[in-house]
Amino acid sequence: MDLDSAALAALVARLRAAGCVFAEDEAALLVAEARDAAELDAMTARRVAGEPLEQVVGWAEFRGLRIGVEPGVFVPRARTGLLVREAVRALRGGAGSAIGAMGVTGATGARPVVVDLCCGTGAVGLAVAAEHPGVALWAVDLDPAAVACARRNAAALGPADATVLLGDLDAPLPAELEGRVDVLVANAPYVPTAEIAHMPTEARDHEPRVALDGGADGVDLHRRVAASAPRWLAPGGHLLIETSVRQAGDTAAACEGQGLTVRVVHDDDLDGTVVIATRRGA
């Protein structure tokens, strides 16, 4: 919709007063997405009340993809682009696997297998699939709202071979995947429980606690993912977990404790940190 300069200035001022740092950019996006004045006012009210902009407009830009985001679902962060980048690099590095019974093969064939745990909107797995076409993608989340959102995104964005499952971490994965996963990515919650109360209201009040709470030190889910990874990874396969600089040592130790070879990657520009743990070859 169109908005005259005075109305646009008033909208920017309203957003800035609510604490929106990038008020001009947010105003432009709200105006572009609203169909009429009434919808613009309703969307602005939601944003001023602290709802994430991505939930208000219904999508987030992530690695060049337009990812659908719905109320109550975790919003993909720019820092998580590092997880995607390193997962794609791992796939291109040649971790091989094969799932003969399912017609899926790894780097030695045509169909690398990627598993995305705690998938939320499905952004990570879908971005990996977009940047490394031909993967067989399996995504899992505990939250039914996130699973429904991820399924809609998978239907809209592909790949053709994408399955989104409801369940706790790896529990719903089929046994046929055991020892055959080339890349397992996990953006599992890593906010320490006591720190959730100090998070920005848009996360604390509008994203599910199950997508934020990583336990007392924030690494509880990382330990569980690391413990389950050797069951699923192919020889030479990779587990990649998003973490923080402060927690990277604990995340790495959890992976090393499972016999995986570990390295830590950090990107200052993205403010992202990823632990990469590799299962030794057969």
Side-chain angles (χ1 to χ4, degrees), residues 29 88 199 266:
L29 185 54
V88 172
M199 294 184 71
H266 178 76

Side-chain angles (χ1 to χ4, degrees), residues 234-256:
H238 307 280
L239 165 65
L240 297 93
I241 304 178
E242 177 173 305
T243 188
S244 68
V245 171
R246 182 182 65 176
Q247 295 160 308
D250 289 337
T251 303
C255 296
E256 289 170 343

